[in-house]
Amino acid sequence: MPRRVAAMSCLMLAFMLGTAASARRAMPNNRSGYSYRYVWWVGVALAAVCGGRAVLYLAEVMQAQNALDLKAWNAVFMVPSVLAMPCLTMGTIMIIHDRMLAEREREANTDFLTGLMSRKAWWLQAERCCAHALRTRRPLALMLLDIDHFKQINDTLGHAAGDAVLRHFGLLATATLRAGDHVGRVGGEEFGVLFPDMRAEAAMEAAGRLLASVRRTPCSHADGAISYTFSAGVADWVPGENLQGLYARADAARSTRPRRQAAIASKGRARPRSRWRPRPEAQLSRRERVSCFMMRSFSRCQSFSRAVSRLS
């Protein structure tokens, strides 16, 4: 009988330690982890109780007896056992609630079409970057860009093609820019990029690399390819300047730059508006076909990872 009680206690010990380890491993880094810490502490405490009971029974300090006898050892081990399930249930509910809030927050802060930051989330991040630059006296650059002749793409090829171009640009921006750069969709076809610890000259070089990537990798849509460009304006943050002033200067710099003609034609030559058509994929070069295939695969992997994250 004592060995049977000790074996059950060891089984409960393993279960509680696994619960505590799972809560510790799933604890988030970017928000409060109170519910996870609560489950961790409950699991550790109950594991200690189960381990102590197993040791006492194996050492024959305690003898198998009626669990309802009013004795000190029974009370010590009975109370935690009774409270175990209610405490773990409450912790599970708190974790589920925390994950639901995190999912809603992620949906509010992410643009559903491009996967980039939404305007509100990007603006809040920009204010934090300005405050950090003011405290540390570090440089900060802002780039505003918009896709050239985007309305013509929508009017000629349809809004589905325009959505494909926006998604394509979001994927390229994420893959081309640094991990620490903050990219957000601030308008219909307008995007904002914050470059911490970077001057305007380096930001323009990053814009050139992004433009080269856009030209090198056309957007694949409806068995064809849509080539496009964008225009950008860059401004350096001036210490003491608010975000509205920095945004206005970058917008003015973008407005004064010459617009580039969007090309939805082969060999980069723009056709008349009434004849704009995406190129059939069979007419693309080998490098362009490989680029389109890789972008489609990356987009599908990103959609699959989002679906998995929602289910988890």
Side-chain angles (χ1 to χ4, degrees):
M1 188 67 178
R3 293 183 178 179
R4 188 183 305 171
V5 176
M8 290 300 300
S9 299
C10 291
L11 181 62
M12 290 297 296
L13 169 65
F15 174 74
M16 293 303 170
L17 289 179
T19 301
S22 299
R24 184 75 175 181
R25 186 169 52 251
M27 190 176 299
N29 297 322
N30 56 351
R31 64 182 188 277
S32 175
Y34 171 77
S35 56
Y36 297 87
R37 284 193 295 269
Y38 172 81
V39 173
W40 183 82
W41 278 110
V42 170
V44 170
L46 293 176
V49 172
C50 295
R53 183 170 56 187
V55 171
L56 291 176
Y57 270 97
L58 288 176
E60 297 185 355
V61 175
M62 294 181 60
Q63 299 296 328
Q65 54 191 343
N66 190 351
L68 298 179
D69 290 343
L70 298 178
K71 295 184 178 181
W73 287 117
N74 275 349
V76 169
F77 293 118
M78 181 62 68
V79 172
S81 300
V82 171
L83 295 178
M85 290 309 298
C87 292
L88 289 177
T89 301
M90 184 171 62
T92 303
I93 292 174
M94 290 193 298
I95 289 177
I96 294 174
H97 181 260
D98 178 76
R99 291 191 174 184
M100 290 175 62
L101 290 179
E103 182 66 24
R104 301 292 83 76
E105 182 180 358
R106 183 162 51 248
E107 290 177 356
N109 293 336
T110 304
D111 180 65
F112 74 99
L113 186 60
T114 62
L116 303 176
M117 299 172 68
S118 65
R119 179 183 177 89
K120 179 181 178 181
W122 182 86
W123 194 268
L124 293 176
Q125 182 62 44
E127 291 180 340
R128 287 193 290 266
C129 287
C130 289
H132 182 265
L134 181 61
R135 288 194 307 268
T136 59
R137 301 293 180 180
R138 302 291 297 175
L140 176 66
L142 170 64
M143 178 176 69
L144 293 180
L145 58 92
D146 60 354
I147 298 176
D148 295 331
H149 306 283
F150 184 75
K151 187 177 184 303
Q152 295 179 358
I153 297 176
N154 274 337
D155 294 342
T156 306
L157 302 177
H159 290 278
D163 292 346
V165 168
L166 293 177
R167 284 193 297 267
H168 177 263
F169 180 81
L171 292 174
L172 284 183
T174 303
T176 304
L177 299 176
R178 302 179 305 175
D181 299 333
H182 306 290
V183 190
R185 184 184 178 193
V186 297
E189 71 278 9
E190 299 176 358
F191 299 85
V193 186
L194 281 166
F195 297 97
D197 299 328
M198 188 179 288
R199 299 286 184 183
E201 294 79 9
M204 287 303 299
E205 293 179 1
R209 291 193 299 270
L210 180 57
L211 181 60
S213 180
V214 167
R215 287 174 169 170
R216 185 173 57 251
T217 310
C219 173
S220 177
H221 176 68
D223 297 328
I226 304 174
S227 300
Y228 63 94
T229 57
F230 64 83
S231 297
V234 178
D236 273 322
W237 176 75
V238 178
E241 182 183 30
N242 58 21
L243 180 57
Q244 289 80 3
L246 176 63
Y247 191 95
R249 289 195 296 110
D251 191 31
R254 177 187 58 179
S255 300
T256 56
R257 294 181 64 85
R259 308 292 292 184
R260 298 181 178 89
Q261 176 68 31
I264 312 178
S266 60
K267 300 181 180 179
R269 292 193 298 268
R271 298 179 182 176
R273 178 177 174 181
S274 60
R275 296 179 58 193
W276 278 5
R277 293 293 185 274
R279 282 181 292 170
E281 193 162 350
Q283 297 180 6
L284 300 177
S285 64
R286 180 179 180 182
R287 186 177 65 179
E288 289 176 335
R289 288 198 299 271
V290 172
S291 300
C292 291
F293 173 76
M294 293 179 64
M295 291 303 300
R296 284 198 299 267
S297 301
F298 183 69
S299 178
R300 290 168 183 168
C301 291
Q302 192 177 52
S303 301
F304 178 76
S305 64
R306 288 177 184 171
V308 170
S309 65
R310 292 192 186 97
L311 291 176
S312 61

